[in-house]
Amino acid sequence: MSKLIKPDGYDALLDMKQTEQGIKLIKDFFQENLSTELRLRRVTAPLFVLKGLGINDDLNGVERAVTFPIKDLNDSCAEVVHSLAKWKRLTLADYAVEPGCGVYTDMNAIRADEELDNLHSLYVDQWDWEAVIRPEQRTLEFLKNMVRRIYAAILRTEFLVCERYANIKPFLPEDIFFIHSEDLMQMYPDKTEKEREDLICRKYGAVFIIGIGGKLSNGEPHDGRAPDYDDWTTECAPGRYGLNGDILIWYPVLDRSVELSSMGIRVDKEALLRQLEITGKQDRKELYFHKKLLADELPLSVGGGIGQSRLCLVLLHKAHLGEIQASIWPQDMIEECREHGMPLI
C-alpha cells in the first residue's frame, strides 16, 4: 500500500454519474480528433493472438502474458495481448494502407504482472495507432511533428471538457517540450529515471522524452523497450540515439508526472537486426512477424499507444484509475481509497 498516493484534501469534482458522462465525452471526441489529425481509419483489433508468432508485444521482456488453450485448435495456446505494437504493422500491410495514412483501434489488454497503484491497473485500454511513412520520414523532426499533432488533439479535448464542466479548469501548457533522455540524465545525474521525469515535467508541464530503450552514457537505459517495434538505436542527433519516446505531463492532483503515450518510428530491417543482436534475441528472426519484416513485406511505419483511462483521469482531475475504469484492486486499497474520497468503480 506504500505506493498509493492519497492527495491531501482530495475532493472529486464530478460525481459518478457525471464521471461516466465525461468519460464518454472524452473518448468520443479525442478519437475523432486523433483520426482526423493523423489520417487514421478505425479497424477492429483482437483481444488475443496465437502464441509463438512474435505478434504480441513483450513489453520489457519479463511480463507474463495471460494464456489459455483453444479446444478447436488442438489446444494451441493463445495469449491475451499486452499491446498491438506489431499487430498494427501487419494490419497496415493487409489493408495496403498508403503512405500518409494509417489505422487506429481500441486496444484492451490484461497485464497480470502490473504493480497496482493510482496509475497502474490489471486492465489496460489504449488507442493504438499506426501510420505508413516513406523512407525519408524516418527522422526525429518527423517524429516531433507527430507528437505536436497528438498533443494538439489532447489540448482540444481539455478545452471541450472545461467548457462542459465549469468547475474543471485547464492546466496543460500550450506547447510540449522536447528533450533527449541522454540530456535529461546529464541534467540530473544523481536522480533516478522517475525522479528525472518528475523534475522535467514539473518545470515544463508537458514533455516528450526522446530515446527510450537504448543505453545512455551511464550504461543504463532511461526505460526498457522491446527490440522489435520501436527504433531505439538509430542516431537522431550527434551522440543521441532513438527515434521513439514518451509523452508525459505534470499532473497537479497527484503532484507527479504521468505518462500518456509511448510512441515511435518503428524498426526497419537494419534496426531490427541490430536491436535483436544487442538484446540477444536473434532467435526471433524465425518468428512470423520478424520473417515478414526481414523479407520487406511490411511497410515502414510510425505508431504508438495513448492511454484511454489515463487521459480521462487527468482531464477529469481524478486521483485513481479505479475512478475511471472497472478493474480488480486489493481490498485494503479499495477501503483506503474510499476513506480518502476516491470511490473506485
Side-chain angles (χ1 to χ4, degrees), residues 106-337:
D106 289 296
M107 189 283 295
N108 296 289
I110 299 173
R111 296 183 182 174
D113 289 335
E114 201 72 80
E115 295 185 10
L116 307 182
D117 57 24
N118 301 66
L119 297 173
H120 297 88
S121 171
L122 300 174
Y123 169 61
V124 179
D125 54 346
Q126 294 182 167
W127 290 286
D128 254 334
W129 64 275
E130 198 86 8
V132 179
I133 61 175
R134 297 183 295 274
E136 62 270 20
Q137 292 175 316
R138 300 189 77 258
T139 67
L140 180 58
E141 284 309 310
F142 179 83
L143 179 63
K144 286 182 177 180
N145 181 55
M146 299 295 281
V147 171
R148 293 188 184 99
R149 292 162 70 181
I150 292 170
Y151 187 67
I154 293 174
L155 288 180
R156 286 195 292 272
T157 308
E158 182 189 45
F159 176 80
L160 176 67
V161 171
C162 294
E163 286 287 290
R164 182 66 57 90
Y165 303 104
N167 56 337
I168 295 181
K169 305 302 179 184
F171 70 95
L172 294 174
E174 291 186 8
D175 299 311
I176 187 166
F177 179 76
F178 293 88
I179 187 169
H180 194 279
S181 54
E182 174 69 26
D183 298 313
L184 183 59
M185 185 274 295
Q186 292 186 12
M187 285 177 65
Y188 307 110
D190 59 338
K191 303 297 183 182
T192 66
E193 159 256 322
K194 184 66 191 66
E195 289 170 339
R196 290 178 220 144
E197 291 179 354
D198 284 348
L199 287 166
I200 199 69
C201 287
R202 184 190 289 271
K203 182 175 182 179
Y204 290 102
V207 179
F208 185 74
I209 300 178
I210 304 161
I212 307 291
K215 288 185 179 181
L216 307 178
S217 59
N218 64 357
E220 299 292 333
H222 180 80
D223 201 357
R225 280 295 184 276
D228 42 18
Y229 56 98
D230 281 354
D231 184 338
W232 41 262
T233 53
T234 292
E235 188 173 55
C236 63
R240 305 292 181 266
Y241 295 86
L243 295 174
N244 70 338
D246 293 340
I247 296 176
L248 301 99
I249 56 101
W250 179 254
Y251 188 43
V253 173
L254 295 179
D255 196 38
R256 57 158 290 171
S257 61
V258 174
E259 179 189 322
L260 295 181
S261 176
S262 173
M263 58 180 290
I265 291 173
R266 307 309 198 186
V267 290
D268 57 10
K269 181 165 38 177
E270 290 74 21
L272 175 63
L273 292 172
R274 187 165 59 241
Q275 292 175 188
L276 291 179
E277 182 176 359
I278 289 172
T279 56
K281 305 288 187 181
Q282 293 97 325
D283 56 322
R284 294 192 186 183
K285 290 187 289 185
E286 301 306 314
L287 298 176
Y288 174 76
F289 171 84
H290 304 72
K291 280 184 175 180
K292 289 184 74 70
L293 179 54
L294 293 173
D296 295 318
E297 295 176 7
L298 301 180
L300 298 176
S301 67
V302 60
I306 302 164
Q308 295 187 17
S309 290
R310 281 201 184 180
L311 185 64
C312 292
L313 177 139
V314 301
L315 295 186
L316 297 178
H317 295 206
K318 297 292 185 176
H320 196 288
L321 271 185
E323 297 178 84
I324 298 295
Q325 58 165 244
S327 185
I328 296 174
W329 309 96
Q331 187 59 38
D332 53 353
M333 179 181 287
I334 294 172
E335 294 171 1
E336 194 165 0
C337 285

Side-chain angles (χ1 to χ4, degrees), residues 69-81:
I70 305 172
K71 179 181 177 182
D72 273 3
L73 293 181
N74 298 317
D75 280 345
S76 295
C77 191
E79 294 181 333
V80 176
V81 297

Side-chain angles (χ1 to χ4, degrees), residues 60-71:
N60 293 311
V62 297
E63 294 86 351
R64 299 170 300 168
V66 175
T67 62
F68 60 92
I70 305 172
K71 179 181 177 182

Side-chain angles (χ1 to χ4, degrees), residues 38-41 92 97-103 130-133:
L38 301 185
R39 301 178 67 189
L40 307 174
R41 307 158 185 165
L92 292 177
V97 176
E98 62 272 24
C101 297
V103 298
E130 198 86 8
V132 179
I133 61 175

